[in-house]
Amino acid sequence: MITEDNIKLILGLKIKLLRQEKGLSLSNLSEKTKISISYLNEIEKGKKYPKTDKISQLAEALGVSYDWLVSLKLSKKLGPLAEILKSNILNELPLDVFGLHPSNLLELISGAPAKLNAFISTLIEISRNYNLTVENFYSSVLRTYQEMHENYFPEIESEAERFRERYLNNQKDILSAIWDYIEQEGCLEIDQTTLASYPSLKNFRSVLKTGGEKNQLLLNGRLTDQQKTFILSREVGYHLMNLNPRSAIYTSPSVNSFDEILNNFKATYFAGALLLPENDLITDIEVFFGLENWDADHFLNIMYKHNSSPETFFHRLTSILPRYFDLNKLFFIKFTHVPGSGEYNLSKELHLSGLHNPHGTIASEHYCRRWLSVTILNDLEKQMAQNAYNQPICDAQISDYINSVNKYFCITIARPQYPDPNFTTSLTIGFQMDSNFKNKVNFWDAENVNTKIVSETCERCPITNCEERVAPPTILEKRKKEKKVEEDLVQILNE
């Protein structure tokens, strides 16, 4: 992609490589060309493009022609750079999130091009094997961004607090108050009928329609008041923080840029902070952690008190617990399931303080059926089949990973995915059971919490006579064979 920025990057890299090949320091090149060291540094990093006379001086000092230096032709050594520029990956990678400039990445490539080329090719091959889409990649970057900040963003918290104090104080009907704000401030017109006239869109929660005199939010009229409150709270977040670009669809299957997915996250975070004020939630959690026994009803009642959906509640916990309770060794996962299918999809995950079990694997493997996230979905399926379901199911389990030091206290909620009851979901927050957790949570060893020995997937599991197993331990057996080969080779070579 021949852009102005790429032209600067190419010139800078060519100058840097030529300088290094000739054994010149920046100071040496500065003396030869009468160009300051700071300006040369800016040129090599692709931040500045020198004038014609300075390019002539550089070409002469480096022993190349002016035409070759300003051309976009790259040497074989810079082959990996050419591939990257053609792929437009520099525009797609959200490098700024990690405080990087494209020149940082290109410096690595130019330093060891052959090795980096092999590494990049390997990453591409892995992404193909794992069916890694652009959306998957952006989602992974977003998770890393959240983990870097322990999923707590003070500036959004402050924005939500200011709005709540001004518009929601002493308001019993929060939905009406937010609805009135949106209409009075001229943010949007709300339409609850249009989506219903399109059968294919009946399960969409909302669609933003732009281009007319005023933007319209096509809101699914079948949603609960709780769901409508959350969606409109997100719209307030978009409006107050001026978040653009953004997706027009509430849960879009595709995104156009990382900025879009990041803005979606910020608006969602704002809604959670608005509807579950941190001070109130901190008090509720302190009381809950002080209980002598695990109490599922007490946990659910905190969620009901704030009129929150399970997903919003769990996401809010992943922000509050690290910040105010120093419980940052935790994970959050979401499973979706089609009743009767026997398949379970890990659709969302967040791991603070490093990657913990459980985590997503390739689609061909089967997640451990001993996980509470899975067993609770089976319990929910039975309730629904007997028409006995009336509220979300909640339970806790201590998951002890076999052949690992990892042990987690897991709390899980499961329910049908409204407005599409053909899907069910389970949400789990898991705490690593270290001394810090045990000091904070009284019921960590409560008798009414079962302990289960678990693994990652059936294919990797060494547990014998497992009644829940749904696939043979093929990957485990393969690794055993490979290890045996290595051991026998060592023995032969040392005899």
Side-chain angles (χ1 to χ4, degrees), residues 122-134 136-137 140 349 359-365 367 460 475 479:
T122 301
L123 289 180
I124 292 171
E125 187 64 26
I126 290 172
S127 70
R128 286 171 180 162
N129 290 339
Y130 278 73
N131 193 29
L132 182 65
T133 63
V134 172
N136 296 147
F137 173 75
S140 297
E349 58 180 313
H359 57 82
T361 62
I362 54 178
S364 59
E365 293 186 43
Y367 294 108
R460 303 168 190 265
I475 294 178
R479 287 179 176 173

Side-chain angles (χ1 to χ4, degrees), residues 71-101:
S71 74
L72 301 179
K73 188 175 181 180
L74 296 168
S75 64
K76 189 174 182 181
K77 188 176 181 181
L78 289 177
L81 171 60
E83 291 302 313
I84 282 184
L85 294 177
K86 286 178 186 176
S87 71
N88 199 33
I89 195 170
L90 292 179
N91 292 329
E92 293 186 356
L93 285 171
L95 297 174
D96 57 314
V97 171
F98 304 104
L100 297 174
H101 184 269

Side-chain angles (χ1 to χ4, degrees), residues 234-490:
R234 284 201 343 154
E235 293 301 327
V236 172
Y238 277 119
H239 174 70
L240 286 180
M241 294 185 286
N242 193 28
L243 298 175
N244 279 300
R246 58 164 294 181
S247 172
I249 304 171
Y250 178 75
T251 50
S252 176
S254 61
V255 292
N256 297 313
S257 67
F258 178 73
D259 284 339
E260 190 175 290
I261 199 171
L262 180 60
N263 288 336
N264 172 69
F265 163 73
K266 288 179 177 179
T268 300
Y269 188 101
F270 173 89
L274 181 65
L275 301 177
L276 288 93
E278 57 184 353
N279 290 333
D280 292 349
L281 197 52
I282 289 167
T283 301
D284 293 336
I285 293 170
E286 286 175 342
V287 174
F288 175 63
F289 281 169
L291 300 176
E292 293 300 323
N293 286 299
W294 155 251
D295 189 335
D297 289 336
H298 191 118
F299 186 72
L300 285 173
N301 284 335
I302 298 174
M303 183 179 75
Y304 295 145
K305 172 186 174 182
H306 295 281
N307 193 28
S308 169
S309 71
E311 189 157 355
T312 303
F313 182 47
F314 273 58
H315 275 296
R316 195 71 179 122
L317 290 178
T318 65
S319 300
I320 298 300
L321 293 173
R323 179 76 172 189
Y324 294 102
F325 293 85
D326 195 30
L327 293 174
N328 56 8
K329 294 181 179 178
L330 60 81
F331 69 80
F332 163 80
I333 54 174
K334 176 181 179 180
F335 269 89
T336 57
H337 172 61
V338 178
S341 69
E343 296 181 2
Y344 305 86
N345 176 43
L346 199 164
S347 57
K348 288 185 181 179
E349 58 180 313
L350 178 68
H351 303 267
L352 302 183
S353 290
L355 184 63
H356 298 302
N357 305 101
H359 57 82
T361 62
I362 54 178
S364 59
E365 293 186 43
H366 299 78
Y367 294 108
C368 179
R369 268 34 178 183
R370 295 181 174 209
W371 288 355
L372 180 59
S373 304
V374 173
T375 59
I376 200 170
L377 286 170
N378 295 334
D379 295 338
L380 175 61
E381 189 172 336
K382 291 174 184 176
Q383 280 194 12
M384 293 172 66
Q386 298 167 1
N387 292 319
Y389 174 80
N390 52 36
Q391 70 170 6
I393 305 176
C394 182
D395 202 357
Q397 172 184 296
I398 295 174
S399 296
D400 189 356
Y401 277 80
I402 193 166
N403 296 337
S404 169
V405 297
N406 292 337
K407 184 185 286 189
Y408 297 97
F409 192 100
C410 300
I411 300 174
T412 302
I413 291 178
R415 65 167 185 169
Q417 183 64 52
Y418 191 83
D420 186 359
N422 295 319
F423 285 89
T424 57
T425 63
S426 71
L427 304 159
T428 299
I429 188 168
F431 305 89
Q432 190 171 41
M433 296 184 67
D434 57 10
S435 58
N436 183 44
F437 174 77
K438 293 175 182 178
N439 288 333
K440 296 280 194 323
V441 181
N442 280 356
F443 53 79
W444 69 269
D445 61 347
E447 292 183 358
N448 62 338
V449 178
N450 293 324
T451 298
K452 278 272 191 178
I453 304 295
V454 301
S455 186
E456 291 181 284
T457 65
C458 290
E459 288 78 0
R460 303 168 190 265
C461 181
I463 301 174
T464 57
N465 303 318
C466 176
E467 295 179 0
E468 293 89 349
R469 182 182 289 281
V470 293
T474 52
I475 294 178
L476 179 69
E477 293 301 326
K478 181 181 178 183
R479 287 179 176 173
K480 284 182 178 179
K481 289 178 182 178
E482 291 171 348
K483 186 177 181 181
K484 179 61 175 170
V485 169
E486 290 175 5
E487 290 173 350
D488 289 346
L489 283 172
V490 169

